[in-house]
Every structure is written in structure tokens, then in C-alpha cells.
Amino acid sequence: MTGDAPRGLWITLEGGDGSGKTTQAAALEGWLRESGREVVRTREPGGSDVGQLIRDIVLHHRGDIAPRAEALLYAADRAHHVATVVRPALARGAVVVQDRYLDSSVAYQGAGRVLDAGEVRDLSLWAADGALPDLTVLLDLDPTAARQRLDADDKPFDRLEAEKSDFHERVRSAFLGLAEAEPDRFLVLDATRPPGDLSADIRARVGDALGAAPGR
Ligand code: TYD
């Protein structure tokens, strides 16, 4: 993470809806806690008190939200979350395990074809004062397979889950493009593999990162 000298480790999980991020975040959290680490498990949108209010608007508002307004809402959630949750946690040496971050904005808001992906990224970086995670795990999954998983759940779809499948194809390629552009930050995993195998790969990478930095 840029901008200060944190002692903690910041891990984000990214991927399409239904790719298994939550399962992997929970497994990673459990493993880190067992090894005696302080873990802050959080998410965007909605990882702070203000963020909960914003999450309600972006995911559950009935009717359209203008694309620029939507991008600004995610960025506002991010700004408050990074300032009040992520930075303080890293400063005290915690491991932050976070469901979604700015890569989601670039992939989803960029995939609407209205906004330029580079502008969305710049907006988010401004909001977060330049903060980038140490590691981003991308759980890559074909949207058709993801849809089958979501259909098997009883939960109703939120606004973005209900988008058409070509939208989700664009989201997937955007994530893969981001990972290709920053190979050091990203760990890309095939989300059709067994969850236990995926957890093991994530643990190996996180273990390396924790071992590489003295004091972590
Ligand atoms: P999330 O709660 O992670 O849902 P899921 O469990 O289905 O992954 O994310 C909610 C939705 O918000 C998801 O469809 C992606 C979207 N999103 C954006 O469009 N832009 C963003 O910047 C973020 C963080 C999420």
C-alpha cells in the first residue's frame, strides 16, 4: 500500500458474482486467526457505517442510477472505508481480508460501456488517496457457470446480478485484463477448482507475503 509505511497486509478478493469470494475469504480468515494474527474481514461496498447506507443505495435502489452517480457512490464508499477501516487496521499490523475493491469498479462500472475504465480507476485512486492492496486474488469463473451457482441459491438477485450475460462477460475480461497489467499484485485462480485447493493456493501466497516482510 502506498502513501505510508503500514506493517499489516492487505488482501482483496475479486471476481464475478457467484465466483466463491466469500467462501475463500472466510477460509483465509480462519487460517490467519488460527495462526494468531489480527484479521479485519471487510468488504466494499458497505465495509463502514457510512458505507452500509451507500450499499443500500447502489444495490437496492429501485430504478436507474446515472452511471457517473453510481461510480461516485462506490468511490465515496471506498474513500470512507479506506480512511476509517483499512488504513487504521494496517497501521496497527492487522491483516485486512477484503471482499472487492477498486478493481470491481473498473470491471463493473467500466463494463457498462458508458464510462472510461481508466477514468473510473483514477477516480477510485483519488478517493482512496492512492492505496492499493498488497495482494489481489482473482477468482476467475465463466459467467454461465456463475449463473448456475447463483440460480441454485434462493436469494433474490441484486441490481448488478440481474444484468445481462454479455455484461458479465465484459466484467470477466476486464478483471483478466487488470490482472495481466499487474501480475505482481494479482493471483489469478480458476474458480471451478475444488474450494479446498483454491484455499491452499491462497494460503501459500499469503504465507509468502507474511514471511517476506519482517515485523508482519
Ligand atoms: P458483493 O456484495 O461482493 O456481491 P457478491 O457477493 O454478489 O459478489 O458486491 C455487490 C455488487 O456490487 C457486485 O455485483 C459488484 C458490484 N460492485 C460494483 O459494481 N462496483 C464496485 O466498485 C464494487 C465494490 C462492487
Side-chain angles (χ1 to χ4, degrees):
M1 173 169 166
T2 53
D4 54 12
R7 289 168 295 120
L9 188 74
W10 187 14
I11 304 153
T12 57
L13 292 102
E14 298 281 7
D17 303 294
S19 59
K21 295 183 310 306
T22 309
T23 306
Q24 292 305 326
L28 179 61
E29 178 188 16
W31 177 71
L32 287 163
R33 283 196 199 284
E34 270 169 35
S35 68
R37 304 265 168 196
E38 182 196 344
V39 182
V40 173
R41 168 99 178 272
T42 186
R43 67 174 179 179
E44 290 185 6
S48 66
D49 50 356
V50 171
Q52 282 292 349
L53 302 171
I54 299 175
R55 182 180 173 93
D56 214 38
I57 300 172
V58 284
L59 297 186
H60 304 301
H61 173 72
R62 287 164 197 272
D64 287 343
I65 300 179
R68 282 170 194 268
E70 185 183 61
L72 285 163
L73 285 165
Y74 282 113
D77 166 70
R78 186 155 299 134
H80 193 70
H81 182 233
V82 168
T84 64
V85 177
V86 177
R87 282 189 192 274
L90 294 174
R92 45 171 211 273
V95 180
V96 176
V97 177
Q98 179 174 329
D99 220 316
R100 298 195 183 280
Y101 186 55
L102 61 70
D103 302 297
S104 276
S105 276
V106 179
Y108 282 83
Q109 276 64 65
R113 289 210 178 111
V114 180
L115 303 179
D116 176 80
E119 284 182 4
V120 174
R121 183 181 160 88
D122 288 347
L123 174 71
S124 271
L125 277 175
W126 178 82
D129 201 10
L132 279 175
D134 300 289
L135 171 66
T136 299
V137 178
L138 173 58
L139 292 165
D140 177 50
L141 185 63
D142 167 58
T144 313
R147 174 52 61 128
Q148 280 161 3
R149 286 187 186 183
L150 290 171
D151 285 345
D153 279 355
D154 290 342
K155 287 192 299 178
F157 289 149
D158 63 38
R159 282 182 53 245
L160 284 126
E161 283 167 354
E163 291 275 0
K164 293 196 192 62
S165 68
D166 60 335
F167 173 85
H168 292 287
E169 290 288 356
R170 290 199 297 278
V171 169
R172 183 192 190 189
S173 3
F175 274 131
L176 289 171
L178 289 166
E180 220 178 307
E182 283 182 82
D184 292 344
R185 174 161 70 92
F186 276 87
L187 171 65
V188 182
L189 297 174
D190 170 358
T192 60
R193 292 170 55 211
D197 292 2
L198 296 171
S199 305
D201 283 6
I202 296 171
R203 282 200 300 271
R205 184 67 177 263
V206 170
D208 283 351
L210 287 168
R216 271 181 179 161

mmCIF file of all heavy atoms in Angstrom, residues 17 21-22 44-45 55 59 74 78 99-101 104-105 108-109 158 160-161, ligand 1:
data_model
loop_
_atom_site.group_PDB
_atom_site.id
_atom_site.type_symbol
_atom_site.label_atom_id
_atom_site.label_comp_id
_atom_site.label_asym_id
_atom_site.label_seq_id
_atom_site.Cartn_x
_atom_site.Cartn_y
_atom_site.Cartn_z
ATOM 1 N N ASP A 17 -19.933 -12.205 -9.720
ATOM 2 C CA ASP A 17 -20.896 -12.659 -8.718
ATOM 3 C C ASP A 17 -20.978 -14.185 -8.796
ATOM 4 O O ASP A 17 -21.066 -14.745 -9.877
ATOM 5 C CB ASP A 17 -22.269 -12.043 -9.021
ATOM 6 C CG ASP A 17 -22.193 -10.523 -9.053
ATOM 7 O OD1 ASP A 17 -21.942 -9.930 -8.009
ATOM 8 O OD2 ASP A 17 -22.343 -9.942 -10.150
ATOM 9 N N LYS A 21 -15.913 -15.869 -3.715
ATOM 10 C CA LYS A 21 -15.052 -14.985 -2.930
ATOM 11 C C LYS A 21 -15.317 -15.098 -1.433
ATOM 12 O O LYS A 21 -14.388 -15.133 -0.629
ATOM 13 C CB LYS A 21 -15.259 -13.514 -3.313
ATOM 14 C CG LYS A 21 -14.862 -13.168 -4.712
ATOM 15 C CD LYS A 21 -15.025 -11.687 -4.992
ATOM 16 C CE LYS A 21 -16.366 -11.102 -4.614
ATOM 17 N NZ LYS A 21 -17.548 -11.749 -5.153
ATOM 18 N N THR A 22 -16.598 -15.126 -1.084
ATOM 19 C CA THR A 22 -16.952 -15.125 0.337
ATOM 20 C C THR A 22 -16.458 -16.395 1.031
ATOM 21 O O THR A 22 -15.930 -16.338 2.139
ATOM 22 C CB THR A 22 -18.479 -14.960 0.487
ATOM 23 O OG1 THR A 22 -18.867 -13.838 -0.304
ATOM 24 C CG2 THR A 22 -18.874 -14.713 1.922
ATOM 25 N N GLU A 44 -16.402 -4.176 0.238
ATOM 26 C CA GLU A 44 -16.944 -2.996 -0.432
ATOM 27 C C GLU A 44 -17.972 -3.462 -1.446
ATOM 28 O O GLU A 44 -17.745 -4.496 -2.084
ATOM 29 C CB GLU A 44 -15.837 -2.202 -1.147
ATOM 30 C CG GLU A 44 -14.903 -1.509 -0.169
ATOM 31 C CD GLU A 44 -13.876 -0.608 -0.852
ATOM 32 O OE1 GLU A 44 -13.958 -0.421 -2.081
ATOM 33 O OE2 GLU A 44 -12.999 -0.107 -0.154
ATOM 34 N N PRO A 45 -19.084 -2.781 -1.609
ATOM 35 C CA PRO A 45 -19.477 -1.639 -0.792
ATOM 36 C C PRO A 45 -20.002 -2.108 0.561
ATOM 37 O O PRO A 45 -20.436 -3.251 0.699
ATOM 38 C CB PRO A 45 -20.604 -1.006 -1.622
ATOM 39 C CG PRO A 45 -21.201 -2.143 -2.393
ATOM 40 C CD PRO A 45 -20.063 -3.078 -2.686
ATOM 41 N N ARG A 55 -24.247 1.254 0.336
ATOM 42 C CA ARG A 55 -24.518 -0.087 -0.221
ATOM 43 C C ARG A 55 -26.010 -0.262 -0.508
ATOM 44 O O ARG A 55 -26.410 -0.805 -1.538
ATOM 45 C CB ARG A 55 -24.037 -1.158 0.759
ATOM 46 C CG ARG A 55 -24.226 -2.575 0.239
ATOM 47 C CD ARG A 55 -23.763 -3.636 1.204
ATOM 48 N NE ARG A 55 -24.117 -4.932 0.705
ATOM 49 C CZ ARG A 55 -23.326 -5.709 -0.045
ATOM 50 N NH1 ARG A 55 -22.112 -5.333 -0.328
ATOM 51 N NH2 ARG A 55 -23.746 -6.858 -0.497
ATOM 52 N N LEU A 59 -27.093 -1.057 -4.360
ATOM 53 C CA LEU A 59 -27.575 -2.414 -4.662
ATOM 54 C C LEU A 59 -29.096 -2.539 -4.655
ATOM 55 O O LEU A 59 -29.638 -3.415 -5.321
ATOM 56 C CB LEU A 59 -26.969 -3.432 -3.697
ATOM 57 C CG LEU A 59 -25.448 -3.577 -3.755
ATOM 58 C CD1 LEU A 59 -24.987 -4.721 -2.868
ATOM 59 C CD2 LEU A 59 -24.953 -3.798 -5.184
ATOM 60 N N TYR A 74 -19.771 4.402 -5.363
ATOM 61 C CA TYR A 74 -18.776 3.382 -4.997
ATOM 62 C C TYR A 74 -17.488 4.044 -4.511
ATOM 63 O O TYR A 74 -16.837 3.567 -3.582
ATOM 64 C CB TYR A 74 -18.463 2.462 -6.186
ATOM 65 C CG TYR A 74 -19.527 1.410 -6.434
ATOM 66 C CD1 TYR A 74 -20.316 1.434 -7.570
ATOM 67 C CD2 TYR A 74 -19.732 0.373 -5.515
ATOM 68 C CE1 TYR A 74 -21.284 0.468 -7.805
ATOM 69 C CE2 TYR A 74 -20.696 -0.598 -5.743
ATOM 70 C CZ TYR A 74 -21.469 -0.540 -6.881
ATOM 71 O OH TYR A 74 -22.421 -1.501 -7.101
ATOM 72 N N ARG A 78 -15.689 3.821 -0.876
ATOM 73 C CA ARG A 78 -14.262 3.432 -0.823
ATOM 74 C C ARG A 78 -13.453 4.446 -0.022
ATOM 75 O O ARG A 78 -12.604 4.070 0.795
ATOM 76 C CB ARG A 78 -13.766 3.338 -2.276
ATOM 77 C CG ARG A 78 -12.363 2.827 -2.450
ATOM 78 C CD ARG A 78 -12.223 2.212 -3.819
ATOM 79 N NE ARG A 78 -13.140 1.106 -3.964
ATOM 80 C CZ ARG A 78 -13.915 0.888 -5.023
ATOM 81 N NH1 ARG A 78 -13.849 1.678 -6.072
ATOM 82 N NH2 ARG A 78 -14.738 -0.137 -5.050
ATOM 83 N N ASP A 99 -13.416 -8.292 0.690
ATOM 84 C CA ASP A 99 -14.217 -8.690 -0.461
ATOM 85 C C ASP A 99 -14.399 -7.459 -1.358
ATOM 86 O O ASP A 99 -15.043 -6.504 -0.924
ATOM 87 C CB ASP A 99 -15.594 -9.132 0.084
ATOM 88 C CG ASP A 99 -16.137 -10.337 -0.623
ATOM 89 O OD1 ASP A 99 -16.052 -10.368 -1.855
ATOM 90 O OD2 ASP A 99 -16.658 -11.226 0.075
ATOM 91 N N ARG A 100 -13.811 -7.458 -2.537
ATOM 92 C CA ARG A 100 -13.915 -6.391 -3.559
ATOM 93 C C ARG A 100 -13.225 -5.079 -3.178
ATOM 94 O O ARG A 100 -13.271 -4.631 -2.046
ATOM 95 C CB ARG A 100 -15.368 -6.079 -3.913
ATOM 96 C CG ARG A 100 -16.131 -7.252 -4.515
ATOM 97 C CD ARG A 100 -17.411 -6.767 -5.171
ATOM 98 N NE ARG A 100 -18.197 -7.877 -5.683
ATOM 99 C CZ ARG A 100 -17.946 -8.490 -6.839
ATOM 100 N NH1 ARG A 100 -16.946 -8.101 -7.588
ATOM 101 N NH2 ARG A 100 -18.702 -9.485 -7.247
ATOM 102 N N TYR A 101 -12.629 -4.481 -4.218
ATOM 103 C CA TYR A 101 -12.028 -3.152 -4.080
ATOM 104 C C TYR A 101 -12.099 -2.456 -5.434
ATOM 105 O O TYR A 101 -13.001 -2.746 -6.223
ATOM 106 C CB TYR A 101 -10.580 -3.292 -3.538
ATOM 107 C CG TYR A 101 -9.917 -1.982 -3.215
ATOM 108 C CD1 TYR A 101 -10.515 -1.068 -2.350
ATOM 109 C CD2 TYR A 101 -8.693 -1.626 -3.793
ATOM 110 C CE1 TYR A 101 -9.910 0.150 -2.065
ATOM 111 C CE2 TYR A 101 -8.083 -0.421 -3.510
ATOM 112 C CZ TYR A 101 -8.697 0.460 -2.651
ATOM 113 O OH TYR A 101 -8.097 1.666 -2.372
ATOM 114 N N SER A 104 -13.086 -3.939 -8.842
ATOM 115 C CA SER A 104 -14.515 -4.154 -9.119
ATOM 116 C C SER A 104 -15.121 -2.930 -9.793
ATOM 117 O O SER A 104 -15.953 -3.057 -10.695
ATOM 118 C CB SER A 104 -15.299 -4.441 -7.831
ATOM 119 O OG SER A 104 -15.216 -5.802 -7.488
ATOM 120 N N SER A 105 -14.716 -1.738 -9.359
ATOM 121 C CA SER A 105 -15.247 -0.531 -10.000
ATOM 122 C C SER A 105 -14.822 -0.474 -11.461
ATOM 123 O O SER A 105 -15.633 -0.181 -12.348
ATOM 124 C CB SER A 105 -14.752 0.737 -9.289
ATOM 125 O OG SER A 105 -15.549 1.029 -8.181
ATOM 126 N N TYR A 108 -16.783 -3.461 -13.295
ATOM 127 C CA TYR A 108 -18.246 -3.343 -13.399
ATOM 128 C C TYR A 108 -18.682 -2.006 -13.996
ATOM 129 O O TYR A 108 -19.492 -1.981 -14.910
ATOM 130 C CB TYR A 108 -18.907 -3.523 -12.035
ATOM 131 C CG TYR A 108 -19.013 -4.957 -11.588
ATOM 132 C CD1 TYR A 108 -17.941 -5.595 -10.977
ATOM 133 C CD2 TYR A 108 -20.190 -5.678 -11.776
ATOM 134 C CE1 TYR A 108 -18.025 -6.908 -10.550
ATOM 135 C CE2 TYR A 108 -20.296 -6.999 -11.362
ATOM 136 C CZ TYR A 108 -19.207 -7.608 -10.756
ATOM 137 O OH TYR A 108 -19.309 -8.909 -10.347
ATOM 138 N N GLN A 109 -18.167 -0.879 -13.446
ATOM 139 C CA GLN A 109 -18.619 0.412 -13.971
ATOM 140 C C GLN A 109 -18.070 0.621 -15.384
ATOM 141 O O GLN A 109 -18.727 1.205 -16.236
ATOM 142 C CB GLN A 109 -18.222 1.552 -13.027
ATOM 143 C CG GLN A 109 -19.216 1.769 -11.873
ATOM 144 C CD GLN A 109 -19.289 0.570 -10.922
ATOM 145 O OE1 GLN A 109 -18.313 0.242 -10.247
ATOM 146 N NE2 GLN A 109 -20.438 -0.090 -10.881
ATOM 147 N N ASP A 158 -29.493 -8.972 -6.785
ATOM 148 C CA ASP A 158 -29.417 -7.528 -6.620
ATOM 149 C C ASP A 158 -29.321 -6.890 -8.012
ATOM 150 O O ASP A 158 -29.315 -7.581 -9.032
ATOM 151 C CB ASP A 158 -28.270 -7.122 -5.674
ATOM 152 C CG ASP A 158 -26.888 -7.497 -6.184
ATOM 153 O OD1 ASP A 158 -26.667 -7.381 -7.411
ATOM 154 O OD2 ASP A 158 -26.042 -7.891 -5.366
ATOM 155 N N LEU A 160 -26.984 -5.557 -9.815
ATOM 156 C CA LEU A 160 -25.916 -5.909 -10.760
ATOM 157 C C LEU A 160 -25.974 -7.364 -11.168
ATOM 158 O O LEU A 160 -25.657 -7.715 -12.306
ATOM 159 C CB LEU A 160 -24.561 -5.543 -10.160
ATOM 160 C CG LEU A 160 -24.368 -4.033 -10.256
ATOM 161 C CD1 LEU A 160 -24.059 -3.431 -8.931
ATOM 162 C CD2 LEU A 160 -23.357 -3.688 -11.298
ATOM 163 N N GLU A 161 -26.419 -8.225 -10.257
ATOM 164 C CA GLU A 161 -26.531 -9.641 -10.608
ATOM 165 C C GLU A 161 -27.555 -9.841 -11.717
ATOM 166 O O GLU A 161 -27.469 -10.776 -12.499
ATOM 167 C CB GLU A 161 -26.926 -10.462 -9.375
ATOM 168 C CG GLU A 161 -25.760 -10.693 -8.428
ATOM 169 C CD GLU A 161 -26.203 -11.226 -7.076
ATOM 170 O OE1 GLU A 161 -27.418 -11.318 -6.818
ATOM 171 O OE2 GLU A 161 -25.321 -11.539 -6.280
HETATM 172 P P1 TYD B 1 -20.912 -8.112 -3.375
HETATM 173 O O1 TYD B 1 -21.560 -7.725 -2.123
HETATM 174 O O2 TYD B 1 -19.482 -8.516 -3.330
HETATM 175 O O3 TYD B 1 -21.820 -9.199 -4.041
HETATM 176 P P2 TYD B 1 -21.441 -10.659 -4.473
HETATM 177 O O4 TYD B 1 -21.463 -11.458 -3.205
HETATM 178 O O5 TYD B 1 -22.556 -10.964 -5.392
HETATM 179 O O6 TYD B 1 -20.106 -10.612 -5.128
HETATM 180 O O7 TYD B 1 -20.960 -6.939 -4.442
HETATM 181 C C1 TYD B 1 -22.151 -6.398 -4.767
HETATM 182 C C2 TYD B 1 -22.162 -5.903 -6.193
HETATM 183 O O8 TYD B 1 -21.502 -4.637 -6.290
HETATM 184 C C3 TYD B 1 -21.494 -6.811 -7.193
HETATM 185 O O9 TYD B 1 -22.444 -7.149 -8.193
HETATM 186 C C4 TYD B 1 -20.411 -5.964 -7.812
HETATM 187 C C5 TYD B 1 -20.804 -4.557 -7.506
HETATM 188 N N1 TYD B 1 -19.704 -3.586 -7.383
HETATM 189 C C6 TYD B 1 -19.517 -2.631 -8.370
HETATM 190 O O10 TYD B 1 -20.226 -2.594 -9.386
HETATM 191 N N2 TYD B 1 -18.530 -1.706 -8.231
HETATM 192 C C7 TYD B 1 -17.701 -1.686 -7.142
HETATM 193 O O11 TYD B 1 -16.793 -0.827 -7.032
HETATM 194 C C8 TYD B 1 -17.904 -2.685 -6.128
HETATM 195 C C9 TYD B 1 -17.024 -2.697 -4.914
HETATM 196 C C10 TYD B 1 -18.923 -3.609 -6.284
#
